Amino acid sequence: MTEDTKDETDRDVGKGLLDEEMGPSGAMAHLYRGEIHRMKYWRERLDKTTNWAVIVMAAILTWAFSSPDNPHYILLIGIAMLGVFLTIEARRYRGYDIWRSRVRTLQENVWAVGLDPSRDVADPEWRERLGDDYREPAVKITAEEAIAHRLRRIYLPLFAILLVAWLVRITAFSPESWLQTAAIGMIPGPVIVTLVAAFFLGALIVACRPRTWHTRGELLEERLRKDE
């Protein structure tokens, strides 16, 4: 093989590999299997972060109520730690969405059409979009959207549990006024209550404000049954 022939062959590598006239080829099947594996790996990373958050929260709740002499602010430390886990999980969720978006593209435009050829592809330009994504991979959702998603799915209930536990701790376990009990060192109780309220209000706004969701293939609403 001459050098010119070799260069021409190198330029043509990949052409015809996934022809539109062909059914899902062996190469396409391997590509899909690889993306499923990557998506599963990042899904497991998300679950590990959630598991650690629940374990830490359970340990803090157990210690906080094990003795009336234990300080109430350990529950606020728990809220802060959950915030750290939320940030880590949101970052991992953005990575997870990269692989899931590719899987959804293949499912919608290859496998769905193969199972029901009477319907058109979901995105006529899916090949170009997927090719560009392989050439220049990029995160597809913002950090705020990722945080909002994880808040709605996991962390708002966890934050609510710690908030209720903290309110019980400063009201039912002290003969003093709950505003006085909420004080931490030299920081007055009203300031602490205001900061906690502002944090939870901000979390609710981020989680529930109207937005255009860019996550692919996520059940953002609990629609478990289609209308007949």
Side-chain angles (χ1 to χ4, degrees):
M1 180 182 298
T2 64
E3 190 68 24
D4 293 340
T5 304
K6 182 177 182 300
D7 292 340
E8 184 177 353
T9 302
D10 291 341
R11 287 195 300 269
D12 291 338
V13 168
K15 290 185 177 180
L17 184 64
L18 305 172
D19 286 337
E20 295 181 1
E21 294 78 9
M22 299 172 57
S25 64
M28 179 69 78
H30 286 299
L31 175 66
Y32 181 71
R33 186 181 298 112
E35 296 298 345
I36 285 287
H37 175 74
R38 285 178 168 179
M39 186 182 72
K40 176 177 177 293
Y41 171 75
W42 280 84
R43 178 74 250 182
E44 291 173 349
R45 296 189 70 188
L46 284 175
D47 292 340
K48 288 179 180 178
T49 309
T50 302
N51 292 341
W52 275 107
V54 172
I55 290 172
V56 170
M57 185 188 73
I60 288 176
L61 285 172
T62 302
W63 190 85
F65 288 95
S66 63
S67 171
D69 296 329
N70 291 337
H72 69 86
Y73 57 78
I74 188 65
L75 294 167
L76 299 183
I77 294 176
I79 292 175
M81 293 183 68
L82 282 187
V84 173
F85 282 117
L86 170 63
T87 303
I88 296 173
E89 189 161 325
R91 182 175 179 271
R92 292 180 174 181
Y93 183 79
R94 297 179 77 191
Y96 165 69
D97 185 72
I98 295 175
W99 318 117
R100 187 186 54 194
S101 65
R102 294 177 180 178
V103 168
R104 290 296 299 141
T105 297
L106 294 174
Q107 289 174 343
E108 293 170 345
N109 300 286
V110 178
W111 309 114
V113 176
L115 292 170
D116 185 8
S118 64
R119 301 181 63 178
D120 294 332
V121 297
D123 181 8
E125 299 180 354
W126 72 273
R127 294 167 67 92
E128 292 80 2
R129 296 182 189 277
L130 189 58
D132 291 340
D133 190 42
Y134 277 112
R135 290 186 180 93
E136 297 181 2
V139 174
K140 299 173 178 58
I141 60 175
T142 63
E144 186 201 9
E145 181 175 341
I147 290 174
H149 185 279
R150 303 319 293 166
L151 277 170
R152 289 164 65 116
R153 283 303 183 91
I154 302 293
Y155 284 87
L156 272 183
L158 298 184
F159 282 132
I161 291 172
L162 286 181
L163 174 63
V164 171
W166 180 68
L167 292 175
V168 171
R169 190 67 179 76
I170 64 175
T171 55
F173 284 74
S174 175
E176 300 178 352
S177 168
W178 65 278
L179 283 177
Q180 293 178 338
T181 306
I184 300 176
M186 300 298 293
I187 305 177
V191 174
I192 298 297
V193 172
T194 301
L195 291 176
V196 172
F199 173 82
F200 277 90
L201 179 61
L204 285 172
I205 292 174
V206 171
C208 301
R209 77 171 182 83
R211 60 162 50 81
T212 298
W213 295 91
H214 298 92
T215 54
R216 295 293 309 278
E218 227 9 91
L219 292 175
L220 297 176
E221 299 180 7
E222 295 299 328
R223 296 177 180 176
L224 303 182
R225 182 179 300 174
K226 293 183 178 179
D227 296 333
E228 297 294 339

